[in-house]
Amino acid sequence: MPDMTSTLTILQPYPGIFAYYDGRIAGTRLHSEGPNWLDDGAYALGVASYAIVDGGEALVYDTHISLPHAEAIRTHLESLGVTSIRVVLSHWHKDHVAGNAVFADCEIIALTLTAERLAENREKIETATPPIHPLVMPTRLFEGRLDLKVGQRTVELHHFAIHSADGNVLWLPEEKLLLAGDTVEDCATFIAEAEHVATHIAELKRLRRLPIAHILPSHGDRDRISAGGYDGTLIDANRSYLERLEKAAAEGAQIGSLKDFVADEIAAGSILYLAPYEDVHDSNVARMRAAAKAN
């Protein structure tokens, strides 16, 4: 296996906004040849954590997929002269909290619901492959919305129940920039909670009401993130995917490949096709069909 951070790249899509991006490199695995969440999930799909920097202050959005990745983030920030770091968690899934221990001496901010999910799943997380042990928990909790200052920059934290019930996005109103976590993905959202897809669709509509100019997702295309990210049509593409999949599953209709299912959005440039998402799509189809039968 290569060094854990051998393919990590640091992007700067905007002044003082850094993306720590890894993955989407065919034939490369970081943890093992055997099945594991890091290689087969996060790395295959590409994953980014972010930092907002102003002066000596930094706000880190998710702690990445391993301790070495988190250490690389912290080392980079300290090289910029950062002396004060806070962490915000987008939600409780493993590829967003794996590096928490590197920031154990920092304030770690999360939704109350995120802390609850982490506590409920702590044993599974700490014994996963690879394990996240010890799992360092959030130290500051909020519900609904929390406003912060990073130097002179205004950052708003907003709860959106998309992908996971505890979705937490960062909104920079002055820049009209959304750091979206997993609330949207390129090229298809991963359905983790099929029973709540109707809620996710409604919440995507609510998210779209923000005056968004740019979106930086946790799972997206490296070059597009580097160039400034996506626009609001990424939200539309994710919502349309869920709506059409929900309808097809409920009707028992045939559902083809992801490439065919989202052909219109690919043609429009809202999303870019990535073959590893075919497995995500297959999982989504199975989960939605099971949810439809349960209802």
Side-chain angles (χ1 to χ4, degrees):
M1 292 295 105
D3 177 85
M4 285 293 287
T5 59
S6 62
T7 56
L8 175 68
T9 54
I10 301 175
L11 313 174
Q12 189 176 4
Y14 298 100
I17 307 290
F18 297 93
Y20 303 90
Y21 189 99
D22 210 352
R24 292 200 179 192
I25 300 175
T28 300
R29 298 176 70 83
L30 298 183
H31 178 68
S32 71
E33 294 299 334
N36 67 87
W37 66 262
L38 191 156
D39 289 311
D40 301 313
Y43 192 84
L45 303 179
V47 60
S49 292
Y50 292 91
I52 301 167
V53 179
D54 194 339
E57 297 183 26
L59 190 69
V60 173
Y61 188 46
D62 289 338
T63 62
H64 228 289
I65 57 175
S66 75
L67 294 178
H69 284 83
E71 288 164 356
I73 293 171
R74 186 155 189 168
T75 297
H76 174 252
L77 293 175
E78 290 172 350
S79 76
L80 299 176
V82 169
T83 56
S84 174
I85 298 174
R86 288 172 290 174
V87 171
V88 173
L89 303 180
S90 67
H91 62 301
W92 70 274
H93 291 166
K94 293 187 288 293
D95 52 327
H96 301 265
V97 303
N100 282 11
V102 170
F103 299 96
D105 60 333
C106 304
E107 183 176 64
I108 301 179
I109 305 167
L111 284 160
T112 300
L113 188 55
T114 298
E116 292 171 354
R117 292 291 186 271
L118 288 170
E120 291 165 2
N121 292 277
R122 184 166 198 153
E123 182 177 356
K124 291 180 181 179
I125 293 170
E126 292 191 329
T127 58
T129 305
I132 300 171
H133 189 278
L135 173 63
V136 172
M137 298 291 286
T139 58
R140 180 181 178 184
L141 306 181
F142 75 100
E143 296 183 24
R145 173 176 171 171
L146 179 66
D147 292 359
L148 301 174
K149 280 286 191 179
V150 182
Q152 298 301 309
R153 304 181 90 138
T154 298
V155 183
E156 300 173 5
L157 284 57
H158 291 270
H159 180 199
F160 281 89
I162 306 169
H163 170 72
S164 180
D166 64 323
N168 173 33
V169 303
L170 300 192
W171 172 239
L172 282 68
E174 294 165 5
E175 295 92 336
K176 296 183 178 179
L177 173 63
L178 180 74
L179 274 63
D182 281 5
T183 59
V184 291
E185 297 185 46
D186 179 15
C187 54
T189 186
F190 175 77
I191 297 175
E193 301 174 355
E195 67 277 17
H196 298 310
V197 161
T199 296
H200 300 167
I201 292 169
E203 287 283 81
L204 282 164
K205 292 177 181 177
R206 183 169 72 92
L207 184 64
R208 190 67 167 98
R209 291 199 290 268
L210 290 174
I212 295 168
H214 308 285
I215 301 173
L216 296 173
S218 291
H219 303 292
D221 178 75
R222 183 192 308 257
D223 291 340
R224 188 165 284 193
I225 289 172
S226 180
Y230 300 75
D231 61 22
T233 61
L234 178 61
I235 300 174
D236 300 334
N238 277 233
R239 178 183 52 78
S240 176
Y241 173 79
L242 290 176
E243 288 175 339
R244 289 183 286 116
L245 188 57
E246 182 182 47
K247 184 175 185 291
E251 294 175 350
Q254 184 174 355
I255 301 170
S257 69
L258 175 64
K259 191 172 187 178
D260 291 337
F261 198 75
V262 297
D264 289 346
E265 287 81 5
I266 294 170
S270 301
I271 55 175
L272 304 173
Y273 177 70
L274 183 71
Y277 267 95
E278 291 288 355
D279 290 339
V280 172
H281 177 62
D282 289 345
S283 171
N284 289 346
V285 171
R287 287 170 183 251
M288 291 305 296
R289 290 203 189 281
K293 287 181 180 179
N295 293 329

